[in-house]
Amino acid sequence: MKLLALGAAAVALALTPGIASADTLPAFDFTDCPAPPANADPGTWRCEAFVSEGKLTIGRQEIPLGEMRLTFSEGRVNGQYAQVFGTLKHEPVRVPGLAGTTLQLRYGGYSDFEGNDERRGELDVYAVLSHPLLRKECSVGTAAAPLHTVVHDDPALPPTVLSRNPPTFHFGVVDPDLALPATQGCGPLGKLVDRKLGLPSSAEFHQATYVQYKQL
C-alpha cells in the first residue's frame, strides 16, 4: 500500500495558494530521523515526519487503518537527489468481520518519495495478521515479497499549506490499484481468513496525511 509519499519537491509544486488555518495539528516526532549519508551535500538535507490516517477498501469491505507514522530524510549527494528511509510505525488495528483479529503494517524494504508527474511516491509494506488461533507468521505479503504501493494525489484532499515556519502541510493520496495476494503462513485457518477478507483481490488505499519538515 503505497502509504503516503509526497516529497518536498512535489509538495512545493502542488501547494494550493495561501495558508490554511490549522486548529489542531498532530505531535510530530523527529526522533527516528535517519542521518544524512557521509557524502551528503552540506545544508541540503531535511527530515520529513508524516502522521497519517488511512483506510483499505477490499470490494465492499472497508478496514480503517488508524494512525501511521513515517520518517525519512532527503537531500542531495554530489548534486543528485537522494533519500534515506527512517521508520514506519503502525499500531495493530481490529479487522472488521474477523473477531479478535488485528492487522499491523510493516515496512517492506523499499521506498521512493520523490514525486513526479505520474505518481507521488512508492512504498513496500506487508500486513501482519494476529489472532490466538493464527500462526505468528500469518500475513498478507511478506518481508521477502511485500505489497508494492504506488500513490497518486487524491483530488478530494489537495495539498494545503498549514504553516511555513516550521513547514507543515496536509494532503491526501490514493492507490486505486493495490494488488492483495492470499494470506501466507496462517495455518489451517488461512483459507477462512482469505474468504472473510475476499483475498486475493484488488484493493484501494486512501490516506490523509500531515507532514512537517526539519532541517538536518
Side-chain angles (χ1 to χ4, degrees):
M1 294 156 247
K2 175 65 187 191
L3 283 187
L4 5 98
L6 191 65
V11 170
L13 291 174
L15 292 177
T16 54
I19 299 179
S21 61
D23 296 329
T24 303
L25 286 177
F28 294 96
D29 185 359
F30 293 92
T31 305
D32 296 319
C33 290
N39 57 343
D41 295 353
T44 65
W45 281 74
R46 74 170 116 202
C47 180
E48 302 193 16
F50 292 80
V51 182
S52 305
E53 289 280 339
K55 66 178 181 179
L56 180 65
T57 304
I58 308 172
R60 295 182 179 180
Q61 181 174 222
E62 182 177 296
I63 301 176
L65 296 175
E67 182 180 275
M68 293 168 282
R69 288 178 174 265
L70 183 148
T71 57
F72 79 97
S73 296
E74 66 176 1
R76 294 191 172 276
V77 173
N78 298 323
Q80 300 297 314
Y81 178 82
Q83 53 191 296
V84 180
F85 186 81
T87 58
L88 169 64
K89 294 181 177 180
H90 179 232
E91 292 296 322
V93 296
R94 294 189 178 277
V95 180
L98 286 172
T101 303
T102 62
L103 178 152
Q104 182 183 37
L105 296 178
R106 296 183 183 175
Y107 180 53
Y110 173 80
S111 62
D112 181 1
F113 298 123
E114 184 180 21
N116 56 40
D117 291 340
E118 296 181 355
R119 89 293 187 273
R120 286 304 173 198
E122 303 180 24
L123 181 70
D124 282 1
V125 298
Y126 61 102
V128 175
L129 295 171
S130 298
H131 185 280
L133 298 180
L134 296 175
R135 292 179 180 170
K136 292 183 178 179
E137 299 80 12
C138 185
S139 65
V140 181
T142 65
L147 311 174
H148 182 64
T149 67
V150 181
V151 296
H152 309 268
D153 288 335
D154 185 349
L157 194 58
T160 304
V161 182
L162 299 179
S163 169
R164 296 194 186 278
N165 187 25
T168 308
F169 310 95
H170 188 221
F171 62 92
V173 292
V174 57
D175 181 351
D177 301 306
L178 179 62
L180 298 180
T183 57
Q184 298 185 49
C186 298
L189 294 180
K191 290 185 178 180
L192 173 63
V193 174
D194 288 338
R195 187 164 63 251
K196 288 287 188 178
L197 293 179
L199 300 177
S201 175
S202 60
E204 187 167 282
F205 175 76
H206 285 266
Q207 190 172 11
T209 297
Y210 292 92
V211 60
Q212 190 171 94
Y213 304 153
K214 178 183 178 181
Q215 208 68 30
L216 297 175

